[in-house]
Amino acid sequence: MSLYGWIVLVLSVGGTTGSLIWCFARVIRNLGKTDRLHATTDLDPHNADL
Amino acid sequence: MASRKKDSWGSSLGVILAVTGSAVGLGNFLRFPGLAAKYDGAAFLIPYFLALFFLGLPIAWSEWAMGRFGGQQGYNSCPGIFRSIWKNRLAPYLGVLGLIVPVVIYMYYLWIESWCLGYAWKYLTGQMNLGMDPATYTTHFTSFVGLQTDGDFLAHGFSLPVICLLACVILNFFFIYRGLSGGIEKVCLWGMPLLVLCALLVLARVLTLGTPDPSHPERNVLAGLAYMWDIRGGLPGLLHSLSNAEMWMAAAGQIFFSLSVGFGVVINYSSYLKKRDDIALGSTTAVAGNEFCEVSLGGLITIPAAFLFLGAAGTVGGTFGLGFQTLPLVFAHMPAGQLFGFLWFFLLFIAAFTSSLSMLQPAIAFMEEGLDLDRRGSVSLLGFITLMGTGIVVWFTKDLAALDAMDFWVGSFCIFILATIQTFLYGWVLGVKRGREELERGALLPIPRIFDFVIRYVSPVYLLTVFVIWLHQKGAENLEAIRTQPSVRIALLFVAAVLILFLLLIARAVRVWRIREERKP
């Protein structure tokens, strides 16, 4: 495989894998916070009729 | 309705995996690699990633924002959400596409899902030792699906293909009935990691095959990877490939269908989120998850594996040809091929199952909020309608005529229309200012400012251009099929009947919503 091929492979596979890992790391880091938020927003009186 | 407990997600991770599970399907592992191989490997990736950034990602963000916006007004279905965004009498009726698209796709997708289950079962029980003759695998697929004559699929009573279809029907309705957090979310929380694990095992096998056939030293792992990822013909070859308009259309179409934008599911799923839940990071993560499965897993497994054993000739063929005829032949050549064949078709089954599970939820939500049906009632009614549709698809099996007709007119044509409507609603009716407020509330990821311009101007133009050219390329032959094939006419008449039924139900739901609003203090 040529150098161009390796660059395309590394950029494509690395880019999609890296962005998934980065996004998931942020999701998991904020998991506790957002799940606690659910509990408080459930009590929002403006949403009580929904 | 006020007394009914609303469906909701158990966790933010659950909704992300559910959306990813809905998007990841056979197209990620079969269609994308097939297109990349067809359009000169690396050259295909340029229009592909451009379409991701200017079409797929912006529409995904806007769908999540509109869904949560509608959810805050008390609506979870497309007709209700569209009505809450656009105060126009026509708006809820345009939302019919958000119901009919997933419901009709479910009718034939269930059948394809059952093929994956059947092949996985055959590999597990050692029934796929069919030898090295490619014709045997074509004959096997033809017989499994009943391609030769209409009614062939059902002609053999309780054969394995029929049992697999029934198993898929039961599995789907069991988990759909259990609801969002109790059914769909739980399946995706377990299913998606399992899918990735199976794919990684198959990938490890493919990448460690070396040169499997010493009589063909040119067929080695590096050559397989090069066939998929290299720039063929250097820079002049790349420029020549990029001048191919058909490739640009194929790339945009792949992104569009792969991410399931304009499908009616994402807008429904995000409507169950709370007011301050993040949607920016969630939607981006779901897109990243889909791209990982498509580019990193599908791109590294399918074409390199086919090339290793069959050479360049093995990489051609449509989604079904590559998946159900070529790859079984590849597994026959591969050491421990029965095990890896099972893992491969099992992961395809999980991909299809997590997609099909999502497809009835938009219509269930509509029946619950518009017709005051409970989950049991709405699942039963939809079960009856979709089983009739699946019955038509599995009866008219000759050359997959009914399946192809539904896939073209609903699974492609209507999706384009729905995505265009959604882009218009977000960019021009809800407005990019209010849309951004929605996206940024609770956001754990900043959305670039340029998105406002892209979703308002670039995405609609991109979308309409792709749509018009695609219709020009494919429309005539599909219109001809309606004229010449009675099975296509019957399938589309059934779709039209379901469309009319949903329009009537929307008219009733609008009356119910109006009365409810008038009674509100």
Side-chain angles (χ1 to χ4, degrees), chain A residues 2-36:
Chain A
S2 72
L3 178 66
Y4 292 128
W6 281 112
I7 291 171
V8 172
L9 193 154
V10 169
L11 283 180
S12 304
V13 174
T16 51
T17 309
S19 57
L20 176 70
I21 292 170
W22 185 81
C23 285
F24 256 106
R26 285 191 77 141
V27 169
I28 288 166
R29 213 166 44 228
N30 286 288
L31 211 51
K33 287 182 210 167
T34 48
D35 286 349
R36 274 199 301 277

Side-chain angles (χ1 to χ4, degrees), chain B residues 139-197:
Chain B
T139 312
H140 177 264
F141 179 67
T142 304
S143 141
F144 193 91
V145 176
L147 281 180
Q148 278 191 327
T149 51
D150 288 336
D152 211 18
F153 180 79
L154 300 169
H156 311 289
F158 279 98
S159 57
L160 179 69
V162 175
I163 292 170
C164 287
L165 178 61
L166 289 175
C168 287
V169 170
I170 293 166
L171 269 176
N172 270 273
F173 279 100
F174 176 74
F175 285 105
I176 289 168
Y177 180 68
R178 288 174 68 93
L180 274 186
S181 57
I184 297 170
E185 185 176 343
K186 277 214 170 81
V187 170
C188 292
L189 276 170
W190 286 96
M192 291 313 289
L194 189 60
L195 179 152
V196 172
L197 178 67

Side-chain angles (χ1 to χ4, degrees), chain A residues 2 5 16-17 26 38 42 50, chain B residues 72 230 274 277 296 444-445:
Chain A
S2 72
T16 51
T17 309
R26 285 191 77 141
H38 288 186
D42 283 345
L50 298 178
Chain B
Q72 294 310 306
D230 215 348
K274 303 284 190 296
D277 276 349
S296 300
L444 295 168
L445 186 77

Side-chain angles (χ1 to χ4, degrees), chain B residues 190-349:
Chain B
W190 286 96
M192 291 313 289
L194 189 60
L195 179 152
V196 172
L197 178 67
C198 290
L200 288 175
L201 289 171
V202 178
L203 176 62
R205 170 73 284 190
V206 171
L207 294 183
T208 52
L209 280 167
T211 308
D213 185 355
S215 64
H216 287 285
E218 76 284 2
R219 293 181 191 170
N220 55 58
V221 171
L222 274 182
L225 288 174
Y227 192 77
M228 174 76 195
W229 298 99
D230 215 348
I231 297 173
R232 295 179 206 162
L235 196 60
L238 176 68
L239 292 175
H240 180 261
S241 298
L242 288 177
S243 65
N244 181 1
E246 194 185 297
M247 179 177 79
W248 287 79
M249 294 305 113
Q254 176 60 25
I255 275 293
F256 189 72
F257 297 123
S258 172
L259 290 176
S260 294
V261 286
F263 199 72
V265 171
V266 173
I267 200 166
N268 165 252
Y269 272 11
S270 56
S271 72
Y272 296 103
L273 290 168
K274 303 284 190 296
K275 191 175 180 179
R276 289 177 189 81
D277 276 349
D278 158 80
I279 51 174
L281 179 61
S283 54
T284 311
T285 308
V287 169
N290 182 68
E291 289 311 298
F292 169 74
C293 289
E294 186 152 293
V295 177
S296 300
L297 298 177
L300 284 175
I301 296 173
T302 315
I303 295 301
F307 185 89
L308 270 174
F309 295 100
L310 308 172
T315 62
V316 295
T319 303
F320 297 152
L322 192 61
F324 296 94
Q325 295 168 47
T326 307
L327 286 175
L329 179 63
V330 168
F331 292 122
H333 285 82
M334 190 184 281
Q338 292 293 307
L339 171 66
F340 289 100
F342 163 72
L343 287 174
W344 177 253
F345 282 102
F346 185 60
L347 86 85
L348 289 186
F349 168 69

